C-alpha cells in the first residue's frame, strides 16, 4: 500500500502513542518503529517525515538506544523530541550536558525564531518538560529557535536539512503550542497532503484484502466485540462469503449474546457465519477448576480445539483474520513499552496461527480503538456493537469466583443484564468504560417477606478508564445504585445481596480474577 506517512522512532517514551494520535488527527498516517528497525524496510518515497520520540535514557549511558545514522542522509525532515533532540545533537557532533536533576513540569517557552516549526506560535507560552540532560552545544548547521528559563537551547533547527529538536513535549495537552508545532512539522515542513481518513483507509484496505486473498478462504473468530466485528465487516466488504466467521458459544457469554450476534451479523450484514454451540465442552473442561489462570488456559485450549475443528470442516482455508489493534502490536514490538510482567494471561485468538499454519490477515493492526469505532461507523455498524464495553475472552468464567457451573453462569447472566440495562436506562452506560457483575463464592443471610434466605452475593463493578491499563471506580449516583440493587435482588432468583466494588486499578485489577 503506497501512502504518505510519518515514522515515529520509539526511544521508550511513555508518550509515544500520544505523538501518533496527534499526527493521525491531522489526517496523516504514521507508524511507530523500534530504534533498530531496518532502514531497508522503509520506502523513502512514502516517508515524509521522521519523529524521534523522547525516552528515559541518557544519550551517553551504556546501551542508550541509537538510530541508524543513514536516516540523516535520506533528505527527510526530522523532529527530535527531548531524548530525540539530544540524540540528534550527539549523533551530529553537538554536545549534551548530563544533569542529575530532572526538570519536570510546566516551563515558560520563549520562541526566538518563528520560521516554519514555530509559525503562528506565540512568543511566550507554557510547555511541558520532562528531562534530565539537555543540549549544551548545537551541532554544526543548527541555530537556536527557542529558550526557557532553565534551558538556553529549548529548541533548535537546521533549516537547510529540515532537522529540528525540541526539549519539551509538544504531544501533551499541557504544551500550549504543541498542536500548532506538530501541525507545522507535518504540513509545512514535511508537506504532507493529509488525506488519510477512515474512508480512504477502508477503500485501501478493502482493495488490499481483495488482491491478497484472491480465490482463497479466510476464517475469523467473531466474538461480537468491537474489534473482531469491525474486522469481519471490513473483510466481508472485500471478499464476501469467502470469509467464514466462526462464533463460538462457550457457555460463558452474556445474556442473549449469541442471539444478538446472529441477528446483527447474519441477518443484517449477511455474513457467512457459523455459530457453534460448544458450551457443554467448555463447562465440562472447567468442572472443578477454581484457579483463575488455570481457567484461562483451559478456555484458551478448548477454544483452539473447537476453532480448529470448524476450520478443518470448512476446508481450503488459507488465512486467519484477527482484530489485532495497533497498541497490541506496539507493545509486543517495543523494546521498552510493553508491560514488564504478565499479571493475567490474556487469551484471544493469539495462540491459533502457529498451530494452524494459516497466514494472518490483521486489517486493523495500524489503528487505535477509537479509529476502529470510526471505521465501524463508516461501515454503518450499529452503535449497539460499536459502543459495547470490552468483554474478556474467558467471559463469565473469570467473573464467577470459584467453581464455574451452568447454574452459576445463568444467575450471573441475569444479574449482569439487570445491572447493564439499568445503566443504559439511566444514560450512564456510554459514560462508563466497562461495567459488569461478579458472582462471589459465598452465601449470605437475608430476609425476604417473612422468610430467612441464604443466597448468593453479587458484586457490581463499573470503571472509568482510557485504555484499561489504569482505571478508577465509577461514581454512580446513589439513587441509581439503589435502583440497580433493587432490580437485582427482586428479579434475580438466588441473589440476596449486592456489593459495589470501590477499588481502583492499580492496586486492584478490573476483573476480579
Ligand atoms: P484487568 O483485569 O487485567 O483487565 O485489569 C483489563 C482489561 O482486560 C480485560 N481482560 C481480558 N481480556 N482475556 C481478554 O480478552 C482475558 O483473559 C482478560 N482478562 C482481563 C478486562 O475485561 C479489561 O477490559
Amino acid at each position: 500500500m503506497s501512502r504518505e506517512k510519518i515514522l515515529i522512532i520509539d526511544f521508550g517514551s511513555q508518550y509515544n502513542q500520544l505523538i501518533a494520535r496527534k499526527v493521525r488527527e491531522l489526517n496523516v498516517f504514521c507508524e511507530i518503529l523500534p530504534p533498530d528497525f531496518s532502514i531497508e524496510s522503509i520506502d523513502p518515497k512514502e516517508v515524509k517525515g521522521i519523529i524521534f520520540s523522547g525516552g528515559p535514557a541518557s544519550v551517553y549511558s551504556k546501551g542508550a538506544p541509537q538510530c541508524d545514522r543513514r536516516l540523516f542522509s535520506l533528505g527527510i525532515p526530522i523532529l527530535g523530541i527531548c531524548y530525540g533532540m539530544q540524540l540528534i545533537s550527539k549523533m551530529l557532533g553537538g554536545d549534551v550536558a548530563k544533569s542529575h536533576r530532572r526538570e519536570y513540569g510546566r516551563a515558560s517557552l520563549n520562541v526566538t525564531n518563528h520560521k516554519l516549526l514555530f509559525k503562528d506560535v506565540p512568543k511566550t507560552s507554557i510547555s511541558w518538560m520532562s528531562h534530565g540532560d539537555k543540549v549544551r552545544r548545537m551541532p554544526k548547521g543548527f541555530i537556536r529557535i527557542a529558550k526557557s528559563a532553565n534551558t538556553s537551547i529549548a529548541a533548535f533547527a537546521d533549516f537547510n536539512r529540515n532537522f529540528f529538536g525540541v526539549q519539551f513535549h509538544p504531544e501533551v495537552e499541557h504544551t500550549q503550542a504543541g498542536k500548532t508545532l506538530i501541525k507545522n512539522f507535518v504540513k509545512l515542513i514535511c508537506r504532507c497532503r493529509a488525506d488519510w481518513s477512515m474512508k480512504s483507509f477502508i477503500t485501501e484496505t478493502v482493495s488490499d484484502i481483495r488482491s491478497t486473498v484472491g480465490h482463497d478462504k479466510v476464517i475469523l473468530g467473531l466474538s461480537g466485540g468491537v474489534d473482531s466485528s469491525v474486522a469481519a465487516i471490513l473483510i466481508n466488504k472485500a471478499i464476501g462469503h469467502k470469509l467464514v466467521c466462526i462464533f463460538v458459544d462457550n457457555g460463558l457469554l452474556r445474556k442473549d449474546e449469541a442471539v444478538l450476534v446472529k441477528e446483527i451479523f447474519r441477518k443484517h450484514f449477511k455474513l457467512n457465519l457459523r455459530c457453534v454451540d460448544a458450551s457443554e465442552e467448555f463447562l465440562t473442561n472447567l468442572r472443578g477448576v477454581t484457579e483463575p489462570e488455570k481457567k484461562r488456559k483451559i478456555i484458551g485450549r478448548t477454544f483452539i480445539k473447537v476453532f480448529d475443528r470448524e476450520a478443518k470442516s470448512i476446508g481450503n482455508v488459507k488465512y486467519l483474520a484477527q482484530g489485532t489493534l495497533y497498541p497490541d502490536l506496539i507493545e509486543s514490538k517495543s523494546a521498552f513499552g510493553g508491560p514488564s510482567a504478565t499479571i493475567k494471561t490474556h487469551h484471544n485468538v493469539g495462540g491459533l496461527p502457529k498451530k494452524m499454519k494459516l497466514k494472518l490477515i490483521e486489517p486493523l493492526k495500524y489503528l487505535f480503538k477509537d479509529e476502529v469505532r470510526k471505521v465501524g461507523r463508516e461501515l454503518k455498524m450499529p452503535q449497539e456493537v460499536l459502543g459495547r464495553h470490552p468483554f474478556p475472552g474467558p467471559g463469565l468464567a473469570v467473573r464467577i469466583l470459584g467453581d464455574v457451573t451452568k447454574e452459576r453462569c445463568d444467575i450471573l447472566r441475569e444479574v449482569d443484564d439487570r445491572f447493564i440495562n439499568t445503566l443504559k436506562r439511566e444514560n450512564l452506560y456510554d459514560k462508563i468504560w466497562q461495567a459488569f457483575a461478579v458472582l462471589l463464592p459465598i452465601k449470605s443471610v437475608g430476609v425476604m417477606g417473612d422468610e430467612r434466605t441464604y443466597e448468593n452475593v453479587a458484586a457490581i463493578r463499573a470503571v472509568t478508564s482510557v485504555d484499561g491499563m489504569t482505571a478508577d471506580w465509577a461514581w454512580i449516583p446513589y439513587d441509581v445504585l439503589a435502583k440497580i440493587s433493587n432490580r437485582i435482588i427482586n428479579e434475580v432468583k438466588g441473589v440476596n445481596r449486592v456489593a459495589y466494588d470501590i477499588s481502583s486499578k492499580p492496586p486492584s485489577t478490573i476483573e476480579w480474577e
Side-chain angles (χ1 to χ4, degrees):
M1 198 188 299
S2 170
R3 56 155 87 112
E4 63 173 25
K5 60 172 93 162
I6 298 283
L7 296 185
I8 297 162
I9 316 294
D10 173 7
F11 291 108
S13 162
Q14 52 177 328
Y15 300 130
N16 277 338
Q17 294 195 23
L18 269 184
I19 308 176
R21 305 300 341 258
K22 298 284 166 185
V23 174
R24 297 222 180 155
E25 278 164 18
L26 295 165
N27 293 330
V28 174
F29 182 71
C30 63
E31 264 185 69
I32 302 179
L33 295 176
D36 58 354
F37 78 98
S38 146
I39 194 169
E40 282 77 23
S41 69
I42 62 166
D43 178 353
K45 285 198 288 298
E46 285 184 348
V47 179
K48 299 289 173 206
I50 302 172
I51 297 176
F52 289 178
S53 84
S58 164
V59 285
Y60 292 125
S61 60
K62 219 174 138 213
Q66 295 244 2
C67 65
D68 192 319
R69 187 169 283 284
R70 290 175 293 171
L71 285 182
F72 295 107
S73 319
L74 297 173
I76 299 173
I78 297 177
L79 169 66
I81 296 173
C82 200
Y83 179 87
M85 175 195 196
Q86 293 150 17
L87 188 69
I88 293 177
S89 187
K90 183 193 160 214
M91 290 183 75
L92 297 182
D95 187 23
V96 175
K98 241 181 168 343
S99 144
H100 297 293
R101 241 191 63 233
R102 257 187 119 66
E103 185 183 4
Y104 190 80
R106 289 172 172 79
S108 175
L109 181 77
N110 206 323
V111 176
T112 53
N113 184 325
H114 287 269
K115 192 173 146 190
L116 291 172
L117 194 66
F118 288 127
K119 183 172 179 282
D120 299 330
V121 170
K123 182 141 189 54
T124 53
S125 62
I126 296 296
S127 70
W128 185 261
M129 297 275 187
S130 168
H131 66 105
D133 303 353
K134 52 190 172 193
V135 173
R136 185 160 50 197
R137 185 170 46 79
M138 291 178 279
K140 222 169 132 211
F142 282 76
I143 58 166
R144 174 177 78 180
I145 55 173
K147 59 182 178 178
S148 75
N150 284 323
T151 316
S152 66
I153 307 167
F156 64 23
D158 175 339
F159 287 110
N160 282 329
R161 289 185 287 180
N162 271 333
F163 294 162
F164 299 84
V166 290
Q167 187 55 78
F168 55 92
H169 288 273
E171 68 275 27
V172 305
E173 288 300 320
H174 303 291
T175 298
Q176 290 171 339
K179 267 193 180 140
T180 313
L181 189 154
I182 293 175
K183 186 167 133 213
N184 287 342
F185 180 69
V186 167
K187 292 196 173 168
L188 275 183
I189 298 165
C190 303
R191 295 172 180 275
C192 287
R193 287 190 308 273
D195 55 4
W196 190 67
S197 66
M198 291 309 129
K199 223 185 207 128
S200 67
F201 167 82
I202 293 172
T203 316
E204 285 171 15
T205 310
V206 162
S207 114
D208 264 11
I209 296 172
R210 232 174 245 156
S211 63
T212 309
V213 173
H215 296 293
D216 293 316
K217 271 192 209 152
V218 180
I219 49 166
L220 176 144
L222 183 72
S223 70
V226 178
D227 310 340
S228 68
S229 301
V230 173
I233 302 298
L234 192 62
I235 300 171
N236 182 59
K237 192 176 162 77
I239 58 167
H241 278 203
K242 277 181 281 179
L243 167 73
V244 186
C245 295
I246 300 170
F247 174 77
V248 179
D249 182 348
N250 54 11
L252 308 164
L253 304 174
R254 290 165 286 189
K255 189 174 177 185
D256 294 334
E257 194 145 22
V259 179
L260 186 85
V261 166
K262 276 183 222 168
E263 178 73 30
I264 292 179
F265 293 97
R266 194 180 269 160
K267 275 207 180 143
H268 187 72
F269 282 104
K270 312 246 177 307
L271 281 192
N272 187 356
L273 175 64
R274 278 194 174 207
C275 294
V276 190
D277 182 357
S279 47
E280 267 193 43
E281 193 171 338
F282 277 87
L283 291 174
T284 308
N285 292 350
L286 281 171
R287 195 172 291 150
V289 180
T290 54
E291 209 279 307
E293 282 304 281
K294 207 161 168 207
K295 286 182 184 173
R296 280 191 170 78
K297 291 216 170 82
I298 290 172
I299 293 164
R301 272 202 300 268
T302 313
F303 189 82
I304 292 172
K305 228 183 197 168
V306 174
F307 201 84
D308 201 10
R309 213 159 51 213
E310 290 304 311
K312 278 200 184 110
S313 83
I314 293 165
N316 271 335
V317 177
K318 258 243 177 98
Y319 295 93
L320 171 74
Q322 292 190 158
T324 317
L325 302 194
Y326 202 33
D328 311 327
L329 205 72
I330 307 168
E331 282 193 358
S332 56
K333 255 204 221 167
S334 165
F336 317 93
S340 51
T342 306
I343 313 274
K344 296 175 187 180
T345 0
H346 286 203
H347 272 295
N348 279 323
V349 198
L352 288 172
K354 267 181 262 136
K355 280 211 135 185
M356 300 175 76
K357 298 199 176 62
L358 294 173
K359 286 189 201 154
L360 273 186
I361 291 189
E362 298 176 308
L364 310 177
K365 71 177 176 192
Y366 287 116
L367 301 190
F368 291 100
K369 190 89 172 184
D370 60 319
E371 292 173 328
V372 171
R373 290 205 166 99
K374 278 189 202 151
V375 170
R377 261 175 240 128
E378 281 288 335
L379 293 167
K380 309 247 169 336
M381 292 175 63
Q383 179 58 19
E384 207 178 347
V385 175
L386 298 179
R388 274 189 123 186
H389 290 174
F391 186 63
L396 300 186
V398 289
R399 294 178 178 174
I400 293 173
L401 274 56
D403 205 6
V404 182
T405 62
K406 178 166 186 313
E407 293 67 39
R408 293 182 71 75
C409 289
D410 286 339
I411 293 176
L412 184 56
R413 267 189 271 275
E414 296 302 322
V415 175
D416 193 73
D417 172 69
R418 300 313 186 283
F419 177 29
I420 297 301
N421 269 319
T422 314
L423 289 180
K424 284 184 177 163
R425 267 193 217 164
E426 301 289 327
N427 283 325
L428 286 174
Y429 184 80
D430 291 332
K431 297 187 182 116
I432 286 168
W433 194 78
Q434 190 175 17
F436 55 90
V438 179
L439 196 62
L440 306 189
I442 45 167
K443 292 199 166 193
S444 86
V445 172
V447 53
M448 253 182 209
D450 290 327
E451 279 192 45
R452 176 188 184 274
T453 59
Y454 187 55
E455 302 278 19
N456 291 291
V457 182
I460 50 175
R461 176 99 163 121
V463 295
T464 52
S465 175
V466 175
D467 50 14
M469 300 297 285
T470 59
D472 217 344
W473 57 278
W475 292 57
I476 298 178
Y478 281 174
D479 59 329
V480 180
L481 283 175
K483 282 181 194 161
I484 294 166
S485 116
N486 272 344
R487 277 196 74 187
I488 294 173
I489 294 173
N490 288 328
E491 295 176 23
V492 184
K493 219 169 158 269
V495 174
N496 69 356
R497 192 174 296 271
V498 175
Y500 187 45
D501 181 348
I502 49 169
S503 343
S504 59
K505 173 184 179 179
S508 301
T509 51
I510 296 177
E511 302 288 345
W512 278 42
E513 283 198 338

